[in-house]
Amino acid sequence: MKIKSLFTLLIFALTSIIAVAQDTDKSKPVFRLYDLEYQIMPMIANSAIPGELNEEALTDIKPVINALAEGYSLELEFNPDEIVAQPFVRGDVRGIVYTFPEPFKMPLAKFGAIVFTSVTENRYFTLESSLKFGEDESKCWVLGETSAPGNHRNFGIVPDCDSPEAFIDLLEKMDKLNPSKSDTDENTSIKIEEKEK
């Protein structure tokens, strides 16, 4: 995928979400971090054709975000300079892992990963902030997958990851890097063990 086609894709995506992102208290529409993580990133993942990938275009999305924000007069809810992307390789699997700004509300993501597959559709996973409901209602982390805007799956509560590498380790441990493995199989989620002293 070339930078130009990525730019075209993002223009289309932002055009379709500007009405949703409009903040009634402000004169400019707001480009939310949520829009990037759960609408634009899945579109980017699904527009990249396995075997014809230009990883450079996928690892440096900041100039595109800045150009769109300026061109559409969007107020950014986030600082694009805080987004860090790096390619990864695990065995035969390649992808790009993104570190997003620290989530300030749920369900914003701490990390995202586009996993390139040899099949027709790449996969996009996120480590999402959430709440564990119950007596103590504490913060927790959930592994999610968004295959297209509005099409989201939750694989359950998972341990926090302190680095992009730890997030890829988690995906590997949960067998999400295996394109031939079906997510309808049992044991698709990992459980946190409660440690009380």
Side-chain angles (χ1 to χ4, degrees), residues 132-169:
K132 186 189 311 182
F133 294 102
E135 292 179 21
D136 59 348
E137 288 194 19
S138 58
K139 182 175 182 174
C140 66
W141 298 95
V142 173
L143 179 66
E145 178 180 15
T146 307
S147 56
N151 188 3
H152 183 268
R153 291 192 291 180
N154 179 324
F155 296 106
I157 296 174
V158 295
D160 186 10
C161 299
D162 60 359
S163 68
E165 294 78 15
F167 181 53
I168 300 306
D169 290 342

Side-chain angles (χ1 to χ4, degrees), residues 16-187:
S16 66
I17 64 174
I18 278 182
V20 174
Q22 185 76 36
D23 187 327
T24 57
D25 294 339
K26 299 185 180 187
S27 59
K28 289 183 171 184
V30 176
F31 183 12
R32 303 172 304 165
L33 187 55
Y34 179 89
D35 297 327
L36 175 69
E37 293 174 350
Y38 296 105
Q39 293 185 11
I40 292 180
M41 294 305 296
M43 287 182 187
I44 290 172
N46 289 325
S47 68
I49 301 168
E52 298 180 19
L53 300 168
N54 182 343
E55 291 180 13
E56 200 174 300
L58 296 174
T59 56
D60 193 9
I61 61 173
K62 290 179 269 191
V64 176
I65 292 169
N66 288 329
L68 290 171
E70 186 176 313
Y72 280 91
S73 298
L74 299 172
E75 183 175 321
L76 291 173
E77 179 186 68
F78 59 94
N79 180 354
D81 293 331
E82 293 180 22
I83 300 170
V84 178
Q86 61 192 63
F88 71 87
V89 177
R90 291 288 172 98
D92 294 335
V93 178
R94 295 178 20 248
I96 297 178
V97 62
Y98 298 86
T99 303
F100 295 118
E102 187 65 31
F104 58 90
K105 63 182 177 182
M106 60 182 265
L108 294 179
K110 184 176 188 178
F111 297 107
I114 296 175
V115 178
F116 305 139
T117 66
S118 57
V119 293
T120 57
E121 198 172 274
N122 296 316
R123 300 183 77 181
Y124 173 66
F125 296 99
T126 46
L127 180 65
E128 305 165 11
S129 62
S130 189
L131 285 176
K132 186 189 311 182
F133 294 102
E135 292 179 21
D136 59 348
E137 288 194 19
S138 58
K139 182 175 182 174
C140 66
W141 298 95
V142 173
L143 179 66
E145 178 180 15
T146 307
S147 56
N151 188 3
H152 183 268
R153 291 192 291 180
N154 179 324
F155 296 106
I157 296 174
V158 295
D160 186 10
C161 299
D162 60 359
S163 68
E165 294 78 15
F167 181 53
I168 300 306
D169 290 342
L170 174 70
L171 293 176
E172 188 171 45
K173 183 175 183 178
M174 294 183 66
D175 213 12
K176 301 301 179 199
L177 300 183
N178 183 352
S180 64
K181 184 81 170 173
S182 169
D183 282 324
T184 59
D185 295 344
E186 290 186 28
N187 299 325

Side-chain angles (χ1 to χ4, degrees), residues 1-11 54 57 64:
M1 176 172 48
K2 299 188 183 323
I3 296 277
K4 186 176 181 180
S5 50
L6 178 61
F7 186 73
T8 303
L9 171 72
L10 290 177
I11 287 175
N54 182 343
V64 176

